[in-house]
Amino acid sequence: MFDYNQIIEFDHGNFIQIDIELEPTFPVFFGYDIEDHFIETLQRATHKHSVDRLFLLTDPFIFDLFGGTFFNKIKQTFPATDIYLLPRGETCKTFDVLQQLCDRLVGKGVSKRSLLIAFGGGSVGNITGLAAGLIFRGIRFVEVPTTITHQTDGMLSNKQAVNGKYGKNNFGLFHAPIFAWADTRYTETEPLRFKRSGIIEGIKNGFIDQKEFIPFLERAIRRKGDYSSQQLTDLCFKLIRSKLEILKKDPTERHYGIILEYGHTFAHAIEWLSKGALTHGEAVSFGMKIAAELSLKLGYIDDEAVSLHYRLIDDVLALRPRLPEHLNPSNIFNTMVVDNKKIGRDVRYVLLQCIGRCKKEQGDYLVHVDDKIVQGVIESFFKKMSPESTWALNH
């Protein structure tokens, strides 16, 4: 088990290689202000199979912040480099955008020897990875995540997807990058709201698998987001390690690794229905609270475990979004019916047995729960979150 109390110094410009416990696997190169080493790393990764064309995929906001300099550095070594700007956020994860992207790349001469670089957050990473998996039945790509969410969670997966008419990530495949490049300098400029949203998945890892990670988070999280570069890099590294501890037990993400979806059945519906009003992390914060309340309702955990969810999320992290007014228990439940973890006709849930361990039923971490119980818990949660409720007034 990784020692989260271990202090690791990350010098500017130096990076480490983190081996990912996935099938197929890929290396992650991690550090602070390491961009100058990207080209040589890319050259080493492709020297056995040369690159004929390279395509940098990003969004206009990230391009203005970091992409111009990054693109020019790449083009000096790889002259046959083009750039493609994607719509920002979840709006790029559609079939229309995917088809336009694939057609544009084919029209520009992409081949089996070409390489795509996803430079941005999770949405850029998802659509780039999916396009790479589909074009000519699979070409190479590299992940360069620029957000805390994507550096510490999203990139640590081979799952690529777009959204559909009825829900989030309904259509996708598994396709691994040749490597990922995580430079925490990019995350320093993230607004506080997005920093908090990125840390929430690490809190989740503590709830589901690593009780001993929680005391570290309580010490390391800064409510106002005033991290030094060293503090932010150390926190991101340990958030990565917390997910890797789970992936070591299930590199396929299909068995034990399904516990990483704790709260996400609710969260994906909330995020989808919020129509951009909530970040992924904010939706997950709601989803985990509902999952905890459901675990309590079924008698798996006690009030203290539920209270820990609210204390870590609301007080320690200070992530306190409001539920959009147009959301209601009925439309959330109906959207969950098409959740991407659905097996057979029913939706099943990752629930807690206790802090640090998930409920296992008949050898499966996806638990069946009667629809009426689930609906009742969601309704109770909405009443608790309403502005006029006693709980909301006191929090």
Side-chain angles (χ1 to χ4, degrees), residues 12-190:
H12 288 206
N14 292 336
F15 64 93
I16 61 173
Q17 178 175 327
I18 305 172
D19 295 319
I20 302 299
E21 303 285 346
L22 283 172
E23 293 179 3
T25 190
F26 58 90
V28 170
F29 299 101
F30 176 89
Y32 176 81
D33 196 16
I34 58 175
E35 186 177 276
D36 286 344
H37 299 285
F38 177 79
I39 298 300
E40 62 192 71
T41 304
L42 179 60
Q43 289 175 314
R44 285 198 303 270
T46 59
H47 79 280
K48 290 184 179 179
H49 303 282
S50 62
V51 177
D52 62 352
R53 297 191 66 84
L54 197 150
F55 298 87
L56 179 68
L57 281 65
T58 187
D59 66 48
F61 180 78
I62 294 297
F63 181 78
D64 288 342
L65 277 179
F66 310 112
T69 302
F70 189 63
F71 175 70
N72 289 332
K73 288 179 180 178
I74 295 171
K75 200 166 179 64
Q76 288 176 12
T77 305
F78 296 90
T81 299
D82 287 306
I83 189 164
Y84 189 93
L85 296 180
L86 294 159
R88 194 175 179 202
E90 290 286 312
T91 58
C92 82
K93 289 177 58 175
T94 68
F95 274 118
D96 285 344
V97 173
L98 177 64
Q99 182 172 350
Q100 291 170 18
L101 170 60
C102 291
D103 285 341
R104 174 71 177 274
L105 293 174
V106 171
K108 286 283 188 176
V110 70
S111 78
K112 290 285 286 185
R113 288 176 50 211
S114 300
L115 182 137
L116 311 184
I117 297 179
F119 188 70
S123 297
V124 170
N126 258 209
I127 195 145
T128 302
L130 185 54
L134 291 172
I135 293 172
F136 308 136
R137 299 186 180 91
I139 64 172
R140 294 170 293 176
F141 81 107
V142 169
E143 284 262 27
V144 184
T146 59
T147 64
I148 292 177
T149 298
H150 202 38
Q151 285 192 7
T152 65
D153 184 67
M155 75 168 181
L156 304 175
S157 172
N158 293 328
K159 295 181 289 187
Q160 319 298 343
V162 292
N163 304 326
K165 180 179 179 180
Y166 297 105
K168 182 178 168 68
N169 295 336
N170 284 164
F171 307 100
L173 47 73
F174 288 83
H175 190 55
I178 59 173
F179 70 86
W181 186 261
D183 186 339
T184 58
R185 180 177 68 88
Y186 300 138
T187 69
E188 287 185 315
T189 59
E190 273 195 288

